[in-house]
Amino acid sequence: RAKLDGRGSVQGFHQHFHDQLLRRHRLVDRLARAIERHELRLHYQPQVALVDGRLAHLEALLRWEPDDAEPVAPGEFIPLAEHAGLIDRLGDWVMNEACRQQAEWRAAGVDGIRVDINLSGSQVLGGDTLRRLEACVSRHGLCPADIGIELTENVLIAADERVLAGLRHLRRRGVSIAIDDFGTGYSSLSYLKHLPVSALKIDRTFVRDATRSAEDRAILEAAVFIGQRLGLEVVAEGVETAEQLSLLREMRCELAQGYFLHRPRPAEALLDLMRDAVVDAP
Ligand code: C2E
Ligand code: MG
Ligand code: MG
Ligand code: MG
């Protein structure tokens, strides 16, 4: 009898589903007002060169901290924004804020540290996000090399000729283009040579598993090797332990990013680190 009312019951299932929908509806309503309510901000996570510990680039990561509720993770609200047609507004805010911040850092005498922003599929595949990015960069008085973009392989594979032309154009101008979460998409390796990319960011699951078995280690090493041989910048994502870091050093991986090195943090908390440029890579 108890089963009929429990979580596993049909009724429980419908209730759960209904709650989920309700939560999403409420989130979308609040997300639509998040910009004007100043609830969004960017955190930045260093990408560190493994030979000398130099802070090479930063990745901008969007944060939503509603006034009246717990922070919501981008893994939850970005897909919602895509479905609800809000992603262009959010994306433009991110673009503009990252460029504004980069210009402020440059004015403070810190330069040569690139800021990379994430672009999702619906931003890149429809509309004119890439063109707006170029305009945004020059509006803030930046060089194209001051800003980079990160796209997943699935987005790159879905790109039609028009989008590829836009990417090639940006790449020629000097904007860095990275394949994010490399190795997790559904693609063959041959696509790599056709795409206008300059960096590979190896997904953190490969970094995580590499210290577990010889096979997993071989997969990580192969990914690093492919990137290098194609002349791409290679970044290992999600480095959480000293052991993972030294493994990556042995593999001569160029750059690493992860909690073990630095957590994402607000711009104010980064200036000193950026001034030093060489950060302590343990
Ligand atoms: P991503 O682009 O792959 O970003 C890396 C994610 O890994 C970030 O999560 C970062 O905080 C997290 N991370 C960094 N180091 C470590 C580590 O050592 N261990 C673990 N477990 N995680 C680590 P976050 O900030 O929650 O972002 C999640 C995803 O949301 C991003 O994945 C990206 O796909 C998307 N995202 C974030 N900001 C934006 C944005 O401005 N626009 C778009 N379109 N997507 C964004
Ligand atoms: Mg990313
Ligand atoms: Mg990633
Ligand atoms: Mg990811």
Side-chain angles (χ1 to χ4, degrees):
R1 203 169 188 329
K3 260 190 189 163
L4 285 177
D5 305 306
R7 276 195 145 262
S9 70
V10 171
Q11 221 183 11
F13 174 77
H14 282 301
Q15 186 60 46
H16 174 74
F17 197 64
H18 181 258
D19 290 350
Q20 288 271 65
L21 275 181
L22 206 63
R23 172 173 163 80
R24 272 187 226 157
H25 265 292
R26 292 205 184 106
L27 278 179
V28 166
D29 275 349
R30 301 206 334 251
L31 191 52
R33 292 187 306 255
I35 296 177
E36 65 233 37
R37 295 179 60 161
H38 304 285
E39 294 174 344
L40 299 178
R41 66 169 171 165
L42 292 180
H43 280 194
Y44 299 87
Q45 188 178 30
Q47 303 175 47
V48 175
L50 290 185
V51 275
D52 55 6
R54 185 177 43 91
L55 198 172
H57 321 303
L58 295 170
E59 178 176 5
L61 294 160
L62 186 55
R63 297 291 176 258
W64 178 26
E65 289 153 10
D67 279 338
D68 49 0
E70 290 296 294
V72 187
E76 180 170 16
F77 72 78
I78 297 282
L80 270 187
E82 294 193 82
H83 287 295
L86 296 170
I87 193 69
D88 280 333
R89 270 159 68 198
L90 288 189
D92 281 358
W93 184 88
V94 169
M95 214 182 262
N96 197 65
E97 175 60 14
C99 288
R100 188 201 61 74
Q101 184 60 61
Q102 175 66 302
E104 191 181 305
W105 277 323
R106 302 209 74 173
V110 187
D111 58 22
I113 298 176
R114 194 181 74 212
V115 175
D116 296 336
I117 61 177
N118 291 285
L119 296 180
S120 58
S122 33
Q123 284 178 274
V124 176
L125 299 175
D128 60 349
T129 298
L130 299 177
R131 205 173 307 201
R132 285 206 306 283
L133 175 64
E134 197 180 356
C136 189
V137 166
S138 56
R139 195 166 61 243
H140 286 87
L142 299 172
C143 309
D146 292 335
I147 294 290
I149 58 176
E150 298 189 1
L151 310 166
T152 62
E153 32 188 324
N154 293 340
V155 173
L156 283 162
I157 284 150
D160 60 16
E161 201 33 60
R162 183 188 69 93
V163 173
L164 286 177
L167 290 170
R168 265 186 231 112
H169 172 76
L170 281 183
R171 186 66 209 104
R172 269 199 306 270
R173 294 277 326 260
V175 174
S176 154
I177 302 178
I179 301 183
D180 205 352
D181 306 339
F182 177 71
T184 59
Y186 295 92
S187 61
S188 69
L189 286 173
S190 62
Y191 79 101
L192 275 175
K193 66 178 183 216
H194 301 300
L195 294 171
V197 299
S198 51
L200 276 194
K201 300 192 76 175
I202 300 173
D203 191 69
R204 65 184 162 88
T205 53
F206 299 103
V207 175
R208 182 195 65 202
D209 295 343
T211 48
R212 296 187 182 168
S213 76
E215 286 88 349
D216 285 313
R217 190 190 154 122
I219 291 174
L220 177 64
E221 193 160 22
V224 172
F225 184 73
I226 287 171
Q228 286 170 343
R229 289 304 305 269
L230 290 171
L232 304 174
E233 205 176 39
V234 179
V235 188
E237 298 193 277
V239 178
E240 291 183 348
T241 68
E243 196 187 359
Q244 292 165 353
L245 191 68
S246 62
L247 196 57
L248 288 161
R249 281 215 176 92
E250 275 171 44
M251 293 175 181
R252 309 225 173 281
C253 182
E254 189 182 354
L255 299 159
Q257 177 178 356
Y259 295 162
F260 184 69
L261 294 159
H262 297 282
R263 289 193 169 254
R265 39 177 142 160
E268 317 84 80
L270 269 163
L271 193 57
D272 288 342
L273 206 63
M274 293 172 80
R275 284 223 166 89
D276 292 342
V278 174
V279 295
D280 302 318

